[in-house]
Amino acid sequence: MNPNAARITTLGFRPDAKIRECLPTGIASLDAMFSQGDALLTQGQGFPRGAISEILGPESSGRTTLVHSLLAASTAQLEICAYVDTDDSFDPVSAAAAGVALSQLVWIRCGHNAGHALKAADYLLHAGGFGAIVLDLCQVPPGISNRIPISYWYRFRRAIENTPTILALVERQPLAKSCASLMLDIQRKRTAWRGAPGFELLRGVELEALSRKPVRPATAQFKARAVG
Amino acid sequence: MIFACIHGPSTALPQIAAAFSPSFEQTAPDTVVFRVDGLKRLHGTPRQIVEAIAKRAGDNVNIAIAETADAAIIAARNFPGVTVAPNLSHLDVATLPLTEEMAQVLETWGIYTFEQLAQLPEIGLAERFGSAGVYLQRLARNAIHRPLKILQPETTYEDRIELDHPVCLLEPLLFLIARLLNDQCDKLLSNAMAANEVTICLELENRAQHIRTLRLPVPMRESKSLLKLLQMDLEAHPPPAPTIALTLSLKPVHPRTVQTGIFLPITPAPDKLELTLARIRGIVGENNVGIPELLNTHHPHPFRLVKAQPITSHQPPVASHQAFRFFRPPLPATVALDHNRPVRLSAPGIHGKVLNAAGPWRTSGDWWSTTVWNRDEWDIALSNGSLYRIYRDSQWFVEGSYD
């Protein structure tokens, strides 16, 4: 008999499991979705601290919008954040519009070099004291991202596990896999245009988040307005 | 306590005072005052002390010895030659630092001497002149006992080592730099100061100089952190020839004081963060790490990276806004138009039919400089399901995607 099996009670509560503090995103529907499922193992609703969270999705799915919300929530709590920008794609204007306090954000431009991005993230995680660190691997070709050794993700998980730092990986496909505590799949449901055909104006998008890890019974839908 | 004051046109007054006491106050360029209690065993009576001072100072200065520093100063300014335990009671009140109004009032009251001023009721004087009047009366009564404001020589944080043999490698050089840094950082610590700029000047065998200056975003005084920063800088910019001498200088500033709170979140320690960012700069490049700062312009890229430490600031919460991702550099594109509206887009990795298009948004600026821009922007939805921002300058480009 597996000795660990005996420690799982009938209520599903594991006495040896850590209760993680969470950072709410400020998006009500998403935070409500977080509260379902592992409520016993998390304190609050949102992204778990001291853990890796993966935000997945194809281009224009709304992954970056969610990341900006996470950074805005973290900087609103007077935390220092870092954005490791592998492909130099970060837009400070839309981040500021989403509420990110830019004066609390360290921006690292890695010039299309995933190796540099991983090293920079490693240094930041080991320096400690950050509220959230975003590692943006969205535009890294799958041929390169699939070759990232899995030992990196174990090392990252180990570096932050007893800290209040959130490591958010933004990517097209899962990379950290078993090392991630949260995996959100973002999809764009609808694009809202305003005005008559030929004189249209981009108004915003409606997004849907599906929790792939831990598996939750519901999805969350939220809207994001266009900047300008 | 016994104080001596030297008053005169000599420029060497601090040196004369320093010959008798290590701590002295220079009240004016022509006046120094210092304690002479400790000179009794060396020179004898106050008269003998003042004669010793006069012998060193020369004839063109006035010297006075009194029980208080201010009495010695007043006596040295008003009695020529050498004065011991002066009687100030008959001195004119005009020798005190009076304002014009006070001088007029005292004249109408018939107060001309220190003695007359000293006999006035203190409360009445305070009612008429305030604290300034009371201070002047205490001066006239010779009743001000104050410590001297010691003239501190300006501390320099600079040190130099000349080497017997040229040093080619960085590691032995760092041992020498560490020695200099330890001394200077100890000096900073003892003076409650920190440094915000570190300069290392390496004199090379080919008679050239290799100067590196580190400007620190936060004042620091930990020698280990500074040494690591210098090491990383010298690794990135090594000296082109062997070193024969090195000079290290620190620019002193007051250390940063921050009010922390029990409920405030933990932030990275400034020196540790600076070290981390310096390490990352060594990987990704000097200009690729910093704090984004928005600029007050309509330019398509209205921001810059600032080399600074993050600062916390309260930001009001806002609703979720759609994010934008840049393609840097922008992707050159081929756009098919129908009635001047894009209908099909083709760019490296992006192909599709345009389903919706909003635009054109015409922007231009900086026509007076070399950074001129003039372009038409479109927001488009492609048949591949993505949203892009494209623009036409001299040709079509895909600037980025809404994500």
Side-chain angles (χ1 to χ4, degrees):
Chain A
M1 182 183 168
N2 181 0
N4 288 331
R7 303 178 74 178
I8 300 173
T9 66
T10 51
L11 291 173
F13 180 68
R14 287 166 283 169
D16 56 338
K18 287 177 185 172
I19 296 177
R20 292 187 190 280
E21 195 187 336
C22 292
L23 176 70
T25 58
I27 301 169
S29 57
L30 198 60
D31 291 336
M33 184 187 79
F34 283 130
S35 68
Q36 298 178 27
D38 270 3
L40 287 171
L41 296 180
T42 56
Q43 188 183 344
Q45 309 161 355
F47 283 87
R49 292 186 181 275
I52 299 176
S53 298
E54 286 194 280
I55 300 168
L56 317 171
E59 196 164 58
S60 295
S61 59
R63 324 160 272 193
T64 316
T65 301
L66 182 58
V67 164
H68 285 185
S69 296
L70 166 67
L71 290 174
S74 183
T75 55
Q77 300 204 2
L78 302 181
E79 293 175 338
I80 306 296
C81 299
Y83 197 99
V84 183
D85 192 2
T86 311
D87 284 287
D88 206 1
S89 59
F90 180 64
D91 177 26
V93 176
S94 59
V100 180
L102 294 180
S103 63
Q104 290 165 238
L105 183 71
V106 179
W107 180 17
I108 296 159
R109 303 163 68 163
C110 300
H112 309 276
N113 191 321
H116 287 177
L118 289 167
K119 277 186 187 169
D122 193 22
Y123 280 134
L124 292 171
L125 291 171
H126 283 89
F130 288 91
I133 297 172
V134 175
L135 176 55
D136 187 338
L137 298 165
C138 284
Q139 283 163 245
V140 176
I144 294 174
S145 61
N146 286 337
R147 287 208 303 268
I148 296 172
I150 197 160
S151 58
Y152 263 112
W153 311 122
Y154 280 103
R155 181 176 163 81
F156 289 174
R157 188 178 72 171
R158 180 80 184 140
I160 58 169
E161 67 182 352
N162 290 318
T163 69
T165 305
I166 297 166
L167 173 61
L169 305 179
V170 199
E171 60 221 1
R172 294 182 198 178
Q173 56 185 25
L175 294 175
K177 294 172 186 164
S178 61
C179 295
S181 298
L182 177 73
M183 199 181 287
L184 285 178
D185 203 345
I186 310 295
Q187 292 169 0
R188 194 176 79 244
K189 296 298 288 180
R190 198 173 75 87
T191 308
W193 298 86
R194 188 171 60 187
F199 299 95
E200 293 160 311
L201 181 67
L202 179 62
R203 201 174 65 179
V205 287
E206 285 178 25
L207 309 170
E208 185 180 75
L210 169 69
S211 175
R212 288 170 59 173
K213 184 183 178 182
V215 178
R216 297 178 198 277
T219 58
Q221 294 196 356
F222 56 99
K223 291 179 183 175
R225 283 194 298 148
V227 178
Chain B
M1 285 191 284
I2 307 172
F3 292 88
C5 177
I6 311 174
H7 172 76
S10 172
T11 55
L13 292 182
Q15 287 81 358
I16 297 167
F20 292 93
S21 173
S23 49
F24 56 89
E25 176 183 331
Q26 187 160 23
T27 54
D30 59 354
T31 309
V32 288
V33 60
F34 51 96
R35 279 183 67 177
V36 290
D37 308 66
L39 298 176
K40 281 181 184 171
R41 292 180 69 183
L42 187 65
H43 295 290
T45 61
R47 169 64 63 183
Q48 288 167 324
I49 293 170
V50 82
E51 281 169 2
I53 297 170
K55 192 176 172 185
R56 184 169 185 105
D59 297 331
N60 58 344
V61 294
N62 301 337
I63 302 166
I65 281 190
E67 286 182 355
T68 65
D70 290 302
I73 293 167
I74 292 169
R77 283 182 174 167
N78 293 289
F79 298 118
V82 170
T83 313
V84 178
N87 180 7
L88 304 177
S89 59
H90 298 293
L91 270 181
D92 192 343
V93 288
T95 59
L96 291 171
L98 298 175
T99 61
E100 195 176 335
E101 184 201 350
M102 289 166 87
Q104 284 176 0
V105 172
L106 288 176
E107 193 179 346
T108 56
W109 287 355
I111 304 296
Y112 299 105
T113 63
F114 276 31
E115 188 177 15
Q116 291 169 333
L117 180 60
Q119 287 172 355
L120 288 176
E122 190 175 326
I123 293 173
L125 207 59
E127 284 172 353
R128 184 66 182 83
F129 296 122
S131 59
V134 177
Y135 171 74
L136 289 173
Q137 192 187 40
R138 292 185 68 202
L139 269 181
R141 286 177 177 171
N142 191 15
I144 293 181
H145 297 276
R146 64 173 178 89
L148 294 179
K149 294 170 191 164
I150 306 299
L151 181 71
Q152 291 281 2
E154 195 180 340
T155 313
T156 56
Y157 300 91
E158 189 172 313
D159 209 349
R160 177 185 164 82
I161 294 181
E162 289 185 5
L163 309 176
D164 293 337
H165 304 286
V167 174
C168 308
L169 299 173
L170 187 58
E171 197 175 339
L173 200 61
L174 286 171
F175 274 104
L176 298 168
I177 294 172
R179 203 183 99 193
L180 297 181
L181 262 179
N182 285 338
D183 292 346
Q184 298 309 312
C185 288
D186 285 349
K187 211 191 281 185
L188 282 173
L189 192 64
S190 64
N191 290 330
M193 298 294 277
N196 69 346
E197 194 175 296
V198 184
T199 304
I200 182 98
C201 173
L202 304 177
E203 289 171 32
L204 307 179
E205 203 176 23
N206 59 6
R207 295 175 182 273
Q209 283 190 334
H210 183 71
I211 301 172
R212 297 295 308 161
T213 300
L214 296 182
R215 287 183 183 83
L216 309 170
V218 285
M220 292 162 72
R221 60 184 176 205
E222 291 77 23
S223 59
K224 277 185 184 174
S225 306
L226 291 174
L227 180 66
K228 196 72 191 166
L229 288 173
L230 275 175
Q231 181 189 350
M232 283 187 282
D233 188 73
L234 286 174
E235 279 171 356
H237 308 93
T243 305
I244 54 168
L246 61 146
T247 308
L248 178 90
S249 59
L250 308 179
K251 188 177 173 186
V253 289
H254 288 286
R256 194 172 76 147
T257 50
V258 181
Q259 177 67 53
T260 55
I262 194 166
F263 299 112
L264 289 178
I266 298 167
T267 53
D271 54 336
K272 204 171 177 183
L273 179 62
E274 189 54 32
L275 262 179
T276 305
L277 296 185
R279 282 195 179 108
I280 295 171
R281 280 188 194 106
I283 300 170
V284 299
E286 192 72 22
N287 301 320
N288 289 327
V289 180
I291 307 295
E293 186 183 83
L294 296 183
L295 304 173
N296 186 16
T297 169
H298 292 289
H299 192 275
H301 304 279
F303 48 82
R304 63 177 179 185
L305 261 183
V306 185
K307 194 179 170 185
Q309 287 260 327
I311 305 163
T312 53
S313 59
H314 284 279
Q315 192 101 343
V318 294
S320 186
H321 273 76
Q322 197 176 9
F324 186 75
R325 299 180 66 85
F326 278 102
F327 297 144
R328 292 189 180 104
L331 304 176
T334 306
V335 177
L337 299 174
D338 181 22
H339 293 90
N340 282 329
R341 296 182 68 81
V343 290
R344 188 159 196 88
L345 173 78
S346 178
I350 304 168
H351 303 279
K353 191 179 163 191
V354 177
L355 302 179
N356 296 84
W361 316 114
R362 291 198 168 146
T363 62
S364 65
D366 279 0
W367 49 266
W368 54 89
S369 73
T370 54
T371 58
V372 57
W373 88 90
N374 182 8
R375 63 192 210 165
D376 289 354
E377 285 180 4
W378 293 81
D379 294 329
I380 59 166
L382 272 197
S383 54
N384 68 2
S386 299
L387 293 169
Y388 295 103
R389 183 191 295 166
I390 60 172
Y391 69 92
R392 181 166 57 185
D393 195 342
S394 53
Q395 65 173 101
W396 284 97
F397 290 97
V398 183
E399 186 166 45
S401 64
Y402 289 97
D403 189 23

